[in-house]
Amino acid sequence: MTLADEAIAWYATNARDLPWRQPDTTPWGVLVSEVMLQQTPVVRVEPAWRSWMTRWPTPAALADDPPSEAIRMWGRLGYPRRAMRLHACAVAIVERHGGRVPSSLEELLALPGVGTYTGRAVATFAYGQRHPVVDTNVRRVVSRAVEGKPDAGPATTAADLTAMEELLPADVPRAAKASIAFMELGAIVCTARAPRCVDCPFHDVCAWRLRGEPLPEGPSRKPQRYAGTDRQVRGLLLEVLRHATGPVPRQRLDLVWNDEVQRARALAGLVEDGLVERLGGDFVLAGDSPRGEVQNLG
């Protein structure tokens, strides 16, 4: 059996039961899940995805609302620009494709905020096509099982896509199954810090294990700090604006963080990113202000 065959067989009995993997999930549901899952664990995404799909079951439903509603619904998932990208994506899908998520990889990649990974993921997981779908988990599995290295590089390269494509079966439906199987292996078995090699279908042939599981060369990457960062301050500012029923005066936002310089920098960053708009001396989420009244942050 090939690695793909082993992975598919393992996935058939070990895959997690996730809502966006159900047979009746639409391509829009798959797209939403892939955007939400970027840098966010499944346990936090699942309830958010269910709420999102209940409110906006189609791209047209989301496109009919202002982007501020997408930011509100995004809640505390983090990296809220993803909410803006999803809204822009929904608008583009309505304008360019009649409200239907396109199936062609070229058209998917042309959508706002859809990159190499997301486009291939939607084409593969929603439409069953044959594409190398490569994220951190997949790169780690391939690096260990095939190359004998403890981990992959910091970013996906063309070589990663080529390496994964060579592992995919020629049969298109099985190739799509192999893609999700490799990803699942990396997520729950071949993990970064505590791999469960005894449970891995590649246990007997994994090049990394056969080499004695060598440690990575150089220092390992440390988890990103959150407390005290601009990200935390941005989150606190957005939390106030998400729950506001009208424009919020700057004095109210000043209460969320004591460091004036950092607070001003975080607020300016939110405005620059298009998440927040200035309305006179007040602030609102993007899309909540009447037309013509938005001002730059001075």
Side-chain angles (χ1 to χ4, degrees):
M1 293 178 72
T2 66
L3 290 181
D5 292 333
E6 296 280 6
I8 292 170
W10 171 86
Y11 182 83
T13 57
N14 294 277
R16 290 169 292 179
D17 183 18
L18 301 175
W20 46 85
R21 291 179 179 169
Q22 298 305 308
D24 60 348
T25 301
T26 64
W28 170 243
V30 173
L31 174 57
V32 172
S33 74
E34 290 299 336
V35 173
M36 286 186 169
L37 286 165
Q38 295 167 12
Q39 299 178 289
T40 308
V42 167
V43 67
R44 293 179 59 204
V45 168
E46 186 167 349
W49 182 88
R50 291 182 185 278
S51 296
W52 187 285
M53 293 304 298
T54 297
R55 180 167 179 179
W56 297 308
T58 65
L62 176 57
D64 281 343
D65 275 342
S68 54
E69 290 304 303
I71 300 171
R72 286 192 176 91
M73 182 64 81
W74 196 258
R76 303 302 297 273
L77 278 181
Y79 302 99
R81 276 180 289 181
R82 291 180 293 169
M84 295 285 289
R85 295 192 192 109
L86 260 179
H87 186 274
C89 195
V91 172
I93 290 170
V94 170
E95 292 178 347
R96 303 175 193 173
H97 305 288
R100 182 180 181 274
V101 176
S103 59
S104 113
L105 180 57
E106 181 179 359
E107 290 177 324
L108 283 166
L109 293 174
L111 293 173
V114 173
T116 298
Y117 166 77
T118 304
R120 284 168 171 76
V122 173
T124 300
F125 304 149
Y127 290 109
Q129 299 175 11
R130 186 184 186 279
H131 298 288
V133 184
V134 179
D135 69 350
T136 300
N137 292 319
V138 171
R139 287 192 296 117
R140 184 169 57 253
V141 170
V142 174
S143 178
R144 288 174 177 172
V146 178
E147 301 172 9
K149 300 177 182 178
D151 55 25
T156 300
T157 66
D160 292 320
L161 294 172
T162 299
M164 185 61 208
E165 184 163 16
E166 290 175 350
L167 294 175
L168 294 178
D171 180 72
V172 174
R174 284 188 65 77
K177 290 180 180 178
S179 290
I180 190 62
F182 273 92
M183 190 172 297
E184 189 78 339
L185 265 176
I188 65 177
V189 173
C190 191
T191 58
R193 292 179 177 81
R196 297 189 286 112
C197 296
V198 295
D199 298 325
C200 181
F202 303 157
H203 179 269
D204 294 337
V205 296
C206 174
W208 179 62
R209 195 189 68 79
L210 294 175
R211 288 182 57 198
E213 302 177 7
L215 297 174
E217 297 179 2
S220 59
R221 289 189 300 172
K222 296 181 179 179
Q224 289 185 334
R225 182 173 61 92
Y226 178 74
T229 63
D230 284 6
R231 276 187 60 214
Q232 182 184 15
V233 182
R234 285 164 61 103
L236 293 170
L237 292 168
L238 279 179
E239 189 70 6
V240 173
L241 292 165
R242 271 199 300 266
H243 291 92
T245 57
V248 177
R250 184 155 195 163
Q251 292 85 345
R252 170 67 184 88
L253 296 176
D254 288 346
L255 298 176
V256 307
W257 198 254
N258 289 329
D259 187 327
E260 181 179 354
V261 174
Q262 187 178 24
R263 188 179 64 243
R265 182 172 64 242
L267 182 58
L270 290 171
V271 173
E272 183 178 350
D273 289 343
L275 290 160
V276 172
E277 297 171 349
R278 182 171 182 174
L279 188 60
D282 301 332
F283 295 85
V284 296
L285 291 178
D288 272 353
S289 58
R291 287 188 175 183
E293 296 189 31
V294 177
Q295 301 176 12
N296 292 326
L297 184 62

